[in-house]
Amino acid sequence: MLSPSSASDVLRRFDHFNDSVLGAISVDYAERTLPHIQITLTCQDDDADEPTWRSCRIDFHNVREFRIEQRANSTQSVISFGIAITIEGGITFVDFDCLGDTERTVEQVRSSDFYIGAERVDFSVI
């Protein structure tokens, strides 16, 4: 589970997911009171001895709010300027469209075209 300290370690290790490639998004409403969203990214691991790309998964449990906007004529999606993580009121907000501004308020996150706010966020390298 991402906490303020583990979130900073993950962001440092993967350079805020700068230039990561979005592989998959799934939104699951089945058998849950709140949705579960899973995102898979290919990202560069700065802790590796040499440049290494890894597949990473971010699981959002008990999603309270989200926005995912698809831009026209997209063939792939690159997280060009990294992600921001903001934790407030027991909700972890991940902003995939922060434009390099990694210190975001909840209001700024909510103005983003691609963000998710969930009660629990898990991160794994797959």
Side-chain angles (χ1 to χ4, degrees):
M1 185 167 119
L2 283 181
S3 65
S5 62
S6 66
S8 64
D9 290 341
V10 167
L11 292 173
R12 180 205 48 79
R13 177 179 176 184
F14 294 99
D15 187 28
H16 286 264
F17 295 89
N18 192 33
D19 292 333
S20 294
V21 177
L22 179 62
I25 300 173
S26 66
V27 181
D28 181 4
Y29 289 96
E31 300 182 31
R32 293 180 172 87
T33 56
L34 294 171
H36 171 257
I37 297 177
Q38 188 174 84
I39 294 185
T40 304
L41 298 164
T42 302
C43 45
Q44 189 157 358
D45 186 348
D46 288 348
D47 281 356
D49 292 334
E50 56 187 60
T52 303
W53 289 85
R54 306 243 191 248
S55 290
C56 299
R57 183 172 57 227
I58 306 174
D59 283 293
F60 298 87
H61 304 274
N62 296 329
V63 174
R64 291 295 182 165
E65 58 185 275
F66 69 97
R67 176 180 299 138
I68 301 172
E69 183 175 306
Q70 173 68 39
R71 291 185 175 92
N73 301 321
S74 294
T75 57
Q76 66 180 358
S77 185
V78 175
I79 310 299
S80 295
F81 298 103
I83 67 171
I85 298 175
T86 302
I87 301 172
E88 184 176 292
I91 304 296
T92 300
F93 294 88
V94 179
D95 185 353
F96 293 87
D97 193 32
C98 69
L99 302 176
D101 180 10
T102 57
E103 300 293 324
R104 308 275 281 172
T105 67
V106 172
E107 292 76 27
Q108 289 171 317
V109 170
R110 287 181 173 138
S111 70
S112 172
D113 290 336
F114 184 5
Y115 80 91
I116 302 169
E119 292 178 5
R120 191 177 102 217
V121 179
D122 295 325
F123 172 83
S124 59
V125 177
I126 52 175

